[in-house]
Amino acid sequence: MGMQIAPSILSADFANLEREIVKVDTADWLHVDVMDGHFVPNLTLGLPVLERIAEVSPMPIDAHLMIENPDHWAPRYAEAGATSVTFHYEAANDPKAIARDLRKLGARASVALKPGTPVDAIMDDLAEFDMVLVMTVEPGFGGQEFMPDMMDKVRALRHASNEAGRNLWIQTDGGIARDTIETVARAGGDIFVAGSAVYKAEDPAAEVDTLRSLAAAAVAHD
């Protein structure tokens, strides 16, 4: 698998969402942040909106659930059209059961870790997940500054994946831009969520291509 870019529509113009989605059609995924105002102090969108987005998006949907009770809700986002569903370890009662439910529905199962959550929390269950999302900012709001100390988590996950002979996807979200993506790629990340960096660019589609190329070049030069 090569480097993948997942633009976050959290930075898009919500009044013109379909147009904003088409702007980034060179991307590998469309990242949809679902926030409930409880698990994180922000409120975005829910099932009906995601279902409609999935119907019009030329890219598969990467749903990031920053919500309480993902044991109940995560499978419903897979049923609504998300190809990959990420839930937070901190909010889950039974992460393994959620992952298995998602896979039964044909979706990729991903678990996310907030900056304060140690990576060891999921190491024993790593085989249950298709992807791990390492948050490189505190979840809830876009435009925050990248946390470089989270790269220790990325390196640990890549090492564990390689040791197990697995192809675990490692995603990062928060502050991903031209000046940070190479650092993440060298640490072992391979799927990058970028919101402000893409949607504030003069040409969002070209910026997606630039970010992907920077990540690939960083690994090729190591």
Side-chain angles (χ1 to χ4, degrees), residues 68-187:
E68 294 181 347
N69 196 15
D71 303 72
H72 172 77
W73 289 109
R76 284 155 179 78
Y77 281 87
E79 291 169 343
T83 303
S84 177
V85 178
T86 302
F87 61 92
H88 269 266
Y89 173 82
E90 302 87 359
N93 291 320
D94 191 339
K96 291 190 289 185
I98 299 174
R100 291 168 185 172
D101 288 344
L102 289 170
R103 284 173 161 176
K104 286 177 185 176
L105 291 166
R108 293 183 62 85
S110 172
V111 64
L113 301 176
K114 294 170 71 173
T117 302
V119 72
D120 288 347
I122 61 166
M123 281 299 191
D124 289 343
D125 299 323
L126 214 52
E128 300 286 345
F129 308 113
D130 299 302
M131 182 173 77
V132 177
L133 166 54
V134 175
M135 292 299 300
T136 45
V137 298
E138 288 293 340
F141 294 92
Q144 298 182 63
E145 188 173 344
F146 175 78
M147 296 178 173
D149 52 329
M150 294 299 107
M151 294 306 96
D152 287 343
K153 291 183 183 180
V154 174
R155 281 186 281 269
L157 288 165
R158 180 54 63 207
H159 176 75
S161 174
N162 290 343
E163 286 289 298
R166 293 195 61 223
N167 182 27
L168 178 73
W169 291 8
I170 301 174
Q171 186 178 65
T172 49
D173 183 357
I176 301 299
R178 293 189 187 192
D179 60 345
T180 58
I181 196 166
E182 293 171 305
T183 297
V184 182
R186 291 191 184 104

